[in-house]
Amino acid sequence: MKLKILVLMIGTFFISFYIIGCTKNEESSGETKIFEIANTEQVVGNKDEEVVTLRKHYMILNPPKDLKELKELVEKYNKNHPVEGDMNVIEGKNRIFYMSFYRESDDLPRDWQPDESYMNTDRMEHHKHDLIASIIWSDVEPQKEYNVYDKSKEGKVLKRMHFIEDKLVE
């Protein structure tokens, strides 16, 4: 009788852990993940202007704390997800590309969407305190500039690193 109870308790224990393990999703696993924030892409420039700017905004779940690792992460993401083809432009125009990477926060949850309602506006520019990395380059200046930030929870910059390609500049 005691053996049956012991087996039943151990079985319940393992089944509980198995169920918990199966319901654990990638967001809670601590895995780093990058995705584009929907409905935030901006193309700025009129047909009579010489410059057209593409701005894309991304969320990084569980970003690395080390700023060099963060730079390498966004660099690799950019290489694997090129944005130059996302903007068809009239010949002779200069294209400028901005890629902005944000951390998840209470103000900027992973399912955040811009809000342009009558009494409330909530746009990407209202979330600069969660901006932790950026890349900028253009057709004229193809060298990519990277900025990576370590910020406090309130958004105060604790440390910043600026790279041109792989070279750290101050």
Side-chain angles (χ1 to χ4, degrees):
M1 186 67 172
K2 288 183 181 181
L3 184 61
K4 282 185 179 181
I5 292 173
L6 182 62
V7 168
L8 188 60
M9 286 174 55
I10 291 172
T12 304
F13 179 76
F14 282 114
I15 290 172
S16 298
F17 274 124
Y18 178 76
I19 291 171
I20 290 169
C22 287
T23 59
K24 187 176 186 180
N25 59 26
E26 65 190 42
E27 288 83 8
S28 65
S29 69
E31 179 183 341
T32 299
K33 181 179 178 185
I34 301 176
F35 59 90
E36 187 171 354
I37 301 172
N39 304 312
T40 61
E41 179 179 304
Q42 301 164 305
V43 178
V44 181
N46 295 322
K47 59 184 171 184
D48 58 335
E49 295 177 9
E50 290 183 25
V51 177
V52 178
T53 302
L54 174 66
R55 295 180 187 271
K56 289 184 148 281
H57 305 275
Y58 302 86
M59 172 83 58
I60 303 177
L61 302 179
N62 304 305
K65 302 286 184 214
D66 181 86
L67 293 183
K68 288 182 181 178
E69 288 179 29
L70 179 58
K71 185 260 184 191
E72 290 169 4
L73 177 72
V74 298
E75 181 178 35
K76 181 179 176 186
Y77 186 83
N78 177 246
K79 284 179 184 171
N80 293 334
H81 301 87
V83 298
E84 289 88 350
D86 291 354
M87 183 170 56
N88 295 327
V89 68
I90 299 168
E91 193 173 320
K93 297 224 184 227
N94 177 29
R95 300 176 304 167
I96 299 174
F97 303 95
Y98 286 98
M99 294 177 73
S100 300
F101 297 84
Y102 299 82
R103 64 185 176 188
E104 182 179 30
S105 71
D106 291 339
D107 288 339
L108 189 64
R110 66 187 66 187
D111 61 350
W112 179 87
Q113 286 291 288
D115 184 357
E116 296 286 339
S117 62
Y118 176 68
M119 296 297 284
N120 186 30
T121 55
D122 188 10
R123 301 181 187 132
M124 280 310 315
E125 58 262 26
H126 300 151
H127 297 279
K128 294 292 184 196
H129 56 279
D130 288 316
L131 177 71
I132 58 170
S134 65
I135 309 171
I136 181 173
W137 74 100
S138 71
D139 291 327
V140 175
E141 291 290 332
Q143 283 191 316
K144 291 180 174 72
E145 286 190 45
Y146 299 85
N147 286 292
V148 289
Y149 305 93
D150 179 19
K151 292 186 174 181
S152 69
K153 188 174 182 174
E154 297 77 32
K156 182 181 178 198
V157 176
L158 304 173
K159 186 175 180 184
R160 172 185 175 258
M161 294 179 88
H162 179 161
F163 296 86
I164 295 179
E165 294 295 337
D166 288 331
K167 183 181 178 195
L168 178 64
V169 288
E170 293 303 319

